[in-house]
Amino acid sequence: MPLESEFYRQYLERLTQLVYQELVAKVAVFDYFTKHAYGYGDEPSDVEPLIWFFQSGLYYDVTFSLFRLVDQNNSDRNVYHFLNYTEQNVKKIAWKKPLPAGEIKRLRDSMLSVSPEVNCLIKRRNKFFGHYDKEFFYEPDKIEDEYPFTNQDAVAIVRVLQGVVASCHEAFFGSRPMSVEGFYYAHAEGFYEALRAKHLGRSQTETSDGSITNDGSD
């Protein structure tokens, strides 16, 4: 296999792992625990106080996982570098299927379509998550007003990254990777429902004055 093709294979496999196996799962779980978990009508942190730390960890993880793939200034391995390498070596790479004419431009245009979301993500990372900007040190909630970034924004960027990886994956390997975010949503839901069942079980053993009844487990 030509050197360019072997490097490209490793690069593409790693991006596929980062996007399809890691990022899709993280964003799905993040979306569930910061949005869908509230659909039961109770406060998740009342169900399990540790959920607040779980949510906080997801915010940081999703922010940095996305940032590393879309930041053009501090890394030589990201989706933009990948597209540049693809374009520069398109005639040297041993494709399984020919990469369609104009496909790289189409993929770059897809990245441009989420540039507002990407720019906001980068500013949030630089001013709050990466280090404490003085503007947000004493007023951390202000970051949401100055640089709002929603679950839908995260999903939009991930969808575009999936499109870039899938298109190149199909041309190089002859197949597209499978997205399994539904699997992670289902497991996040099952996990939270188990926590709620335990919480409701504890609540049902408490009397109105706060004392604990004998629930028959002794």
Side-chain angles (χ1 to χ4, degrees):
M1 180 179 287
L3 182 62
E4 292 82 5
S5 291
E6 177 59 21
F7 176 79
Y8 194 73
R9 180 191 65 78
Q10 294 177 10
Y11 203 166
L12 181 55
E13 286 182 342
R14 178 59 173 150
L15 281 181
T16 302
Q17 178 188 29
L18 288 171
V19 174
Y20 275 85
Q21 297 179 26
E22 297 184 21
L23 192 52
V24 166
K26 291 174 183 179
V27 172
V29 177
F30 166 77
D31 189 47
Y32 182 84
F33 277 98
T34 58
K35 179 181 177 182
H36 298 284
Y38 291 85
Y40 290 90
D42 44 27
E43 177 66 37
S45 60
D46 291 338
V47 172
E48 171 52 65
L50 292 179
I51 281 184
W52 184 91
F53 299 97
F54 188 43
Q55 291 170 326
S56 178
L58 286 168
Y59 268 110
Y60 275 82
D61 199 345
V62 168
T63 297
F64 280 98
S65 294
L66 282 171
F67 174 81
R68 286 194 295 261
L69 288 173
V70 300
D71 176 45
Q72 301 186 64
N73 298 318
N74 300 309
S75 173
D76 60 355
R77 292 294 182 272
N78 55 60
V79 68
Y80 301 103
H81 177 271
F82 174 75
L83 288 174
N84 289 340
Y85 185 87
T86 303
E87 183 175 47
Q88 292 163 8
N89 296 277
V90 67
K91 294 182 179 180
K92 301 176 182 178
I93 295 170
W95 302 101
K96 191 85 169 183
K97 299 179 179 180
L99 195 67
E103 183 65 2
I104 296 174
K105 181 183 184 304
R106 186 188 72 80
L107 296 175
R108 284 202 177 105
D109 288 343
S110 71
M111 289 300 302
L112 283 174
S113 72
V114 290
S115 57
E117 291 88 346
V118 167
N119 291 336
C120 189
L121 170 77
I122 290 173
K123 289 177 180 177
R124 283 167 64 91
R125 182 269 176 194
N126 291 339
K127 291 182 174 292
F128 184 78
F129 290 91
H131 61 83
Y132 284 117
D133 187 286
K134 63 181 180 180
E135 183 180 1
F136 305 105
F137 183 77
Y138 294 105
E139 298 181 77
D141 292 339
K142 191 177 178 182
I143 193 71
E144 299 298 337
D145 298 325
E146 296 291 326
Y147 304 108
F149 189 78
T150 66
N151 294 24
Q152 289 73 26
D153 295 332
V155 170
I157 296 175
V158 171
R159 290 283 180 266
V160 170
L161 292 174
Q162 286 181 284
V164 171
V165 170
S167 179
C168 296
H169 196 283
E170 182 174 22
F172 189 80
F173 291 109
S175 63
R176 298 172 75 88
M178 181 181 296
S179 185
V180 290
E181 62 264 32
F183 171 84
Y184 295 106
Y185 269 106
H187 277 264
E189 183 177 47
F191 176 58
Y192 185 60
E193 286 181 347
L195 290 177
R196 290 192 73 250
K198 184 176 181 180
H199 169 69
L200 292 173
R202 288 195 306 262
S203 299
Q204 289 170 1
T205 63
E206 295 183 1
T207 63
S208 59
D209 65 355
S211 63
I212 305 300
T213 63
N214 187 339
D215 60 3
S217 61
D218 293 334

